[in-house]
Amino acid sequence: MTAPAEAASDIRVVPLKGVRGMIADRMVESLATAAQLTHHASAEATALLAEKARLAEAGTRASVEDLLMLAAVRALKRHPDINGRVEGREVHLAAGIDLSVAIALPGNLLVAPAIFGAGEMAVSELRAARQDLAARARANRLSVAEMTGGTFTVSNLGLTRVEQFTPIINAPQIAILGIGRLVDRAMPSAAGGMEMRPFVGLSLTFDHRAIDGAPAGEVLSTICTEIEGIGGTAG
């Protein structure tokens, strides 16, 4: 049955070209070339929010995302087998942590430049580096090295209503961590009743060619542990 002409004229066609086309091609290539699997978990964020408040009182601004980046970096130090890239038939594990951060740009665009040397940074330095990348991304002033040199990616949807999702690997990296929104849950209290506590949804997509499900689960569990125990040394 032929659609009415007026209905067809209401359709807005958006060509997949330019930067949007490159993003589309990279997403398809990532799914086509990597054996991608996603583990989901949630971590209690009580200590994280307390650390954010403590830092603010001490004069250091840090967002939830900044502290989650710090927790991810600390977990990667304990699990170096997921920090790297798959190049052809070889897994290249990196000596340092160059953390790529997904940044949404106007016009339905997305980039994920790297914070080089993230493994040696305090949370204040991670924050400054993230903000610098975001500013230069909006001005189209990122270098090729920054766009292609990361060893692990963090993608944050915590400002939306998304609690967990399935992020696509920033190929050829081994893995990407997706961060969802904070959600309050009823939990048993020390007094024997119930109390509301904040939890953050986490999703780790990994390349099964480079790491198996059980060790990837340990990585995600360590990220949760780092989040739940963060504090005092975030700087």
Side-chain angles (χ1 to χ4, degrees):
M1 182 175 180
T2 303
E6 61 270 22
S9 66
D10 291 338
I11 297 174
R12 183 169 66 96
V13 177
V14 181
L16 290 175
K17 64 180 182 180
V19 177
R20 185 68 246 172
M22 289 188 290
I23 293 172
D25 291 341
R26 288 197 64 188
M27 295 297 99
V28 172
E29 180 184 3
S30 176
L31 288 172
T33 58
Q36 302 196 26
L37 178 66
T38 304
H39 288 338
H40 301 286
S42 58
E44 186 177 336
T46 301
L48 185 144
L49 295 178
E51 178 65 4
K52 180 176 181 293
R54 185 194 70 80
L55 288 170
E57 290 181 2
T60 299
R61 296 189 63 184
S63 68
V64 168
E65 180 177 7
D66 299 326
L67 288 166
L68 289 171
M69 288 165 51
L70 179 67
V73 165
R74 289 176 174 176
L76 290 173
K77 289 182 178 181
R78 296 171 59 182
H79 298 277
D81 287 351
I82 204 168
N83 180 53
R85 304 154 69 91
V86 181
E87 306 280 1
R89 300 283 294 178
E90 298 177 336
V91 177
H92 293 196
L93 299 178
I97 299 171
D98 298 325
L99 188 68
S100 296
V101 182
I103 300 171
L105 299 176
N108 191 29
L109 301 179
L110 179 71
V111 294
I115 299 174
F116 294 118
E120 307 307 316
M121 293 183 180
V123 69
S124 57
E125 296 170 310
L126 287 172
R127 177 182 177 83
R130 176 181 62 80
Q131 292 179 326
D132 173 66
L133 287 178
R136 289 192 290 112
R138 289 190 290 268
N140 195 28
R141 292 194 297 108
L142 294 172
S143 69
V144 173
E146 288 170 327
M147 291 294 294
T148 61
T151 60
F152 185 91
T153 296
V154 170
S155 179
N156 179 30
L157 290 180
L159 296 181
T160 72
R161 296 185 68 169
V162 173
E163 296 180 18
Q164 291 179 322
F165 60 106
T166 305
I168 297 175
I169 291 173
N170 184 14
Q173 295 176 16
I174 296 172
I176 179 172
L177 177 69
I179 300 168
R181 66 183 292 235
L182 289 172
V183 177
D184 286 335
R185 295 181 185 172
M187 300 292 291
S189 69
M194 301 294 289
E195 62 183 5
M196 302 301 291
R197 299 182 196 167
F199 283 78
V200 58
L202 303 169
S203 303
L204 180 71
T205 298
F206 58 95
D207 191 337
H208 217 309
R209 296 176 301 168
I211 188 168
D212 289 333
E218 293 175 2
V219 173
L220 187 53
S221 296
T222 299
I223 293 173
C224 291
T225 300
E226 290 291 344
I227 293 169
E228 291 169 347
I230 201 166
T233 58

